[in-house]
Amino acid sequence: MIELFTAGTPNGWKISVCLEELELPYTVRHVRLSEGEQKQDWYLKLNPNGRIPTIIDHGCDDFVVFESGAILVYLAEKTGRLMPADVKGRSQVLQWLMFQMGGVGPMMGQAGVFYRYAPEKIPYAIGRYQRESRRLLEVLDTRLGDHEYLAGDYSIADIANWCWVRSYRWIGIDIDGLDHLKRWLDAIAARPAVQRGFEDLGP
Ligand SMILES: N[C@@H](CCC(=O)N[C@@H](CS)C(=O)NCC(=O)O)C(=O)O
């Protein structure tokens, strides 16, 4: 049984969606971000970065994994699914996973903070992060123009990117003209396991 420490955010949804896709039994422990639970000592012992998500694999000596990308790789390797085992296929999945972890997530995250939450509206910061996010979405669109999914079959790379990209409206980014990206967004949204991954965690 896997215990998932999470909240209703893109990095949290990645893991509940992946667990649903893999049909692994898990329990959810909601971490109350607004109350700072993620900075409490008991949680920092699990996740030194003080952020969600984290898992404990109780079926594997209570092994703890933090960082959403590392959790996705752990779950894929544990089950032998959602990532090929051959060197090149695995590398392609990791390339698009790293693209999300180093680009899409941080840029869309910052765009959202400056666009939605910052007490002072700073046009330079909003514009910079929204433009960079749009550029990254164009990279995804180009890739999806001649690939059904980002790296071979549907994989953890799709789950990681999709959980962020789906928030484009909320972040104030338009996807006009990105028809391949729209096709991919709709295809993944229609997956029952993806819908179940959101059920427990809010919109
Ligand atoms: N690189 C980390 C980022 C995790 C992250 O930023 N989590 C956010 C929610 S999406 C969080 O816990 N925020 C609470 C805080 O910053 O205190 C990962 O991918 O796991």
Side-chain angles (χ1 to χ4, degrees):
M1 178 69 84
I2 288 177
E3 189 175 3
L4 167 62
F5 297 79
T6 192
T9 73
N11 289 319
W13 290 319
K14 286 180 204 172
I15 311 306
S16 47
V17 165
C18 185
L19 286 162
E20 291 289 344
E21 290 283 7
L22 294 171
E23 298 171 291
L24 286 171
Y26 68 103
T27 55
V28 171
R29 167 66 162 88
H30 288 263
V31 178
R32 291 182 288 271
L33 299 182
S34 57
E35 293 171 27
E37 218 180 349
Q38 71 279 20
K39 310 295 183 207
Q40 291 175 2
D41 286 348
W42 69 269
Y43 188 75
L44 291 174
K45 287 194 179 91
L46 302 173
N47 183 327
N49 196 28
R51 296 192 161 195
I52 62 95
T54 304
I55 62 165
I56 305 178
D57 188 348
H58 291 296
C60 189
D61 305 322
D62 294 340
F63 188 63
V64 178
V65 192
F66 76 102
E67 279 294 320
S68 60
I71 297 171
L72 291 174
V73 172
Y74 176 79
L75 294 175
E77 289 183 336
K78 181 183 169 74
T79 56
R81 292 173 55 197
L82 296 175
M83 182 169 68
D86 68 285
V87 173
K88 288 182 186 167
R90 186 173 183 276
S91 170
Q92 284 181 331
V93 168
L94 291 178
Q95 289 169 49
W96 288 100
L97 177 63
M98 299 295 169
F99 177 83
Q100 183 281 306
M101 293 297 292
V104 171
M107 292 304 115
M108 289 187 80
Q110 291 304 313
V113 165
F114 282 107
Y115 182 61
R116 288 276 168 193
Y117 297 132
E120 182 193 352
K121 294 292 168 221
I122 307 168
Y124 178 81
I126 295 171
R128 174 181 165 81
Y129 289 116
Q130 285 182 338
R131 271 194 307 280
E132 177 61 2
S133 298
R134 165 79 196 196
R135 190 190 69 76
L136 292 167
L137 299 190
E138 289 170 4
V139 174
L140 290 174
D141 184 68
T142 301
R143 173 72 177 178
L144 292 165
D146 50 12
H147 294 79
E148 184 178 3
Y149 294 108
L150 289 172
D153 293 337
Y154 175 69
S155 73
I156 55 172
D158 296 292
I159 294 174
N161 280 280
W162 187 88
C163 285
W164 273 99
V165 175
R166 67 182 285 279
S167 305
Y168 67 88
R169 272 194 216 94
W170 187 82
I171 289 169
I173 301 160
D174 79 68
I175 60 166
D176 292 352
L178 305 184
D179 295 339
H180 309 300
L181 188 77
K182 286 182 195 163
R183 187 258 310 148
W184 172 86
L185 276 171
D186 291 346
I188 296 177
R191 295 178 69 89
V194 171
Q195 292 162 15
R196 286 197 303 275
F198 279 77
E199 272 168 15
D200 215 18
L201 297 172

